[in-house]
Amino acid sequence: MLEISGKHKEISDKDLLDTYRKTSSLEVLGELYARYMHLVYGVSLKYFGDRSDAQDAVMHIFEKLVEDLPRHEVRNFKSWLYVLTKNHCLMEIRSKKSSDQRLEGLKIEQEFMESADELHPMDREDEIIEKALKECIEKLKSEQKQCIELFYYQKLCYQEIAEKLGINEKKVKSYLQNGKRNLKICLEGKNVR
Amino acid sequence: MSGKNKHRSANDYLNYLKGQLSRQERHAFERGLEADPFEQEAMEGFESLSAGQAEEDLLSLHNRLRKRVSRRRRVAFYSVAATVASLLIVGTVFLKIHDFDPRSDKNQVYPEESYENFVPEEAESLPPVDKQVEKSAPVPEPVPDPAELKEETKSEKKTESRAEGEFPSGAKGETRVHADQEVEADAVEVLDFAAPVPEAGEIQKEEIQEEEITYMEAEAMDRVDEAQAARTSREFRKSKKAQGEILADQKYEAPKTVVNQLELEQMLTGKVTGIVISAEDQDPIPGVVVVNRELPSGVYTDLEGRFGISVKEDSHTTLIASFIGMETQEYLVEDGAHVELVMQPDAATLDEVVVVGYVAEREDQPTGSAFTLYQAEEEENIEYEVPEPSIGFKNYRKYIEENIRHPQEADSKKEVVVLQFTVTQAGTIEDVTALRSPGLSFTEEAVRLLMEGPPWKPASNDKGARDESVRIRIVFKR
């Protein structure tokens, strides 16, 4: 575990957060941050594409956390941190006036809106929508359908799907992604959410 | 629920990236990613790295975070150390006021101590390598006697004002922080050194103010005893914790004998496993390098501070553990043992860059720390301000941090350069000498920082300025 110490493994994010608010102990905040630091790093890596920039960003985001946390009501730390991380990366890249094409169309999300709480129906394993879902899956393009079925119903991993279909893992992921998006649209049309 | 609500830790990520999961586990992990855009995006980032790189980076981040959050606590630690040091000084002042035999108080006074402390560093000093070096530094000979004599000639007033000097206010406060850091190591030493005081006190029954002296003495001794006791209990705790016996607090020395690698590996059929923890908070430390003293290779502790290393069968082996911010230590372990290696924080490596300024020796007065500085001045009954960077030590340190360039070939984690130079009356920097440096590139960089950096204020008082020699210590850290 990359926890800063093993002492608080059982403690929930919320409790740690409350403790931090009461004590302002950096160690407590560090403990909480350590739980998600690898995710912050991964996302930073994606945006900066450079290991040392991304590592610096992880530390900057921690400082930002120290600064911002007292001023915000945070219910779900993980998703709040996600938004904070993304915004930090985007702002940083913008301030570097990078003309990088990847950034076209990326927008800074609403300041610290609690997002990402809503799960995709596919990831919810909800009985009620099962039927509607099946119908929608049938309507998908064949690659997307195949990937969704293999992944969610036959429980294969990306690698196995890739081998089975003779495509690379990246493609598998993007079919899954697009398939899920189309499913969502389809389900919304059926008034199932 | 296919485990997707469970938090996927850094270890889970590493295992996934290393391909150490079964198909089912991979699937479950991927399900989790699909359900969480944060994790999904993070994984996209990790795709550009190899598993090894990812692990390396996460470890280094972990260490950075660890260091970041413990900084404040360390500062507190230093204040405690400084307080202990001050108490001892106050004790010294009392003894002096009451005309205590100076020979007893030489045991408590800092200069000799810090001087002695400092000498080993001096001894290591490399021949000055830089072109700008015009004359080499006079390396002080360890001649404690003259110093002692000088101690005795000093008036009480000196000592008092020296103690006051410990608590400068306002702008000087910055300087103090640096002094504290330097002092910390000394303080511990001094406790040790002060121990014989009670005996010395008993022998020296002074004639006149005997009662009063005894009282004061007792008070001072109490403090010393307390400090001593505190230290002893700490020592005890340390030794109790470490099942692997700590051999010495020495820096790692490269194995001297190069044995045929293959031959050695064949001999290394034994195994020692263990965990490395920090003495400070008993937490495991990941990323510690643990090496077998006989073999120039080693292992890293994993994310939970654990390691396993090959050793010679049925024999004792010395392991060396080193880690940024911790003292490199040696441990004697036995084949087959499961050990707990306890590492002590290294006081000298508080921050990324430590710049400590202090006045260098003047003529025959050996000086090693800010403490002696005051003495040196007062000897001539003239008070001079110490030369200092015009922007103050705090900002100077910041300047160093921001501008330091680590020489390319540096593969070690920490290197120290000690520069000595003279700040002339006019405020120019002259006679730069490297008293200690791991190599030319480091010296050059340290000199560059000094010469290109902010100007220094000369030593001065209301009567004017004078040339004064100063040392700074620049720590290169990664």
Side-chain angles (χ1 to χ4, degrees), chain A residues 1-2 5 35 38 41 47 51 55-56 63 78 82 123 125 151 156-158 160 173 180, chain B residues 4 7-8 13 23 27 30-31 34 36 38-39 41 47 57 60 64 68 283 303-304:
Chain A
M1 295 282 152
L2 209 68
S5 80
R35 292 184 178 181
H38 57 294
Y41 181 54
Y47 288 108
R51 289 165 72 193
Q55 289 187 34
D56 288 345
E63 299 304 330
K78 189 178 181 183
Y82 180 39
D123 291 308
E125 292 184 1
F151 187 75
L156 298 186
C157 65
Y158 298 150
E160 289 171 304
K173 284 187 212 172
K180 277 165 76 176
Chain B
K4 63 174 175 278
H7 173 59
R8 278 154 298 278
Y13 270 77
R23 288 166 169 197
H27 175 80
E30 287 160 359
R31 274 299 287 266
E34 290 288 335
D36 188 327
F38 194 4
E39 303 212 9
E41 218 170 322
E47 272 162 9
D57 292 356
S60 112
R64 279 173 79 174
R68 171 66 184 87
D283 286 341
L303 292 169
E304 279 135 35

Side-chain angles (χ1 to χ4, degrees), chain A residues 171-189:
Chain A
K171 269 263 183 291
V172 174
K173 284 187 212 172
S174 86
Y175 285 142
L176 276 173
Q177 202 73 22
N178 295 333
K180 277 165 76 176
R181 198 182 51 235
N182 291 335
L183 278 179
K184 199 171 182 191
I185 295 167
C186 170
L187 284 172
E188 274 164 3

Side-chain angles (χ1 to χ4, degrees), chain B residues 429-478:
Chain B
I429 295 172
E430 283 178 14
D431 300 337
V432 185
T433 311
L435 295 180
R436 178 176 165 189
S437 172
L440 182 62
S441 53
F442 285 93
T443 314
E444 270 169 359
E445 170 62 5
V447 173
R448 182 191 71 81
L449 285 168
L450 174 66
M451 300 311 282
E452 290 177 18
W456 282 65
K457 279 193 292 202
S460 64
N461 65 3
D462 44 13
K463 293 200 188 85
R466 69 168 182 197
D467 294 1
E468 180 71 79
S469 182
V470 172
R471 281 183 201 154
I472 59 169
R473 183 180 148 98
I474 296 173
V475 180
F476 290 76
K477 274 193 76 174
R478 298 195 166 262

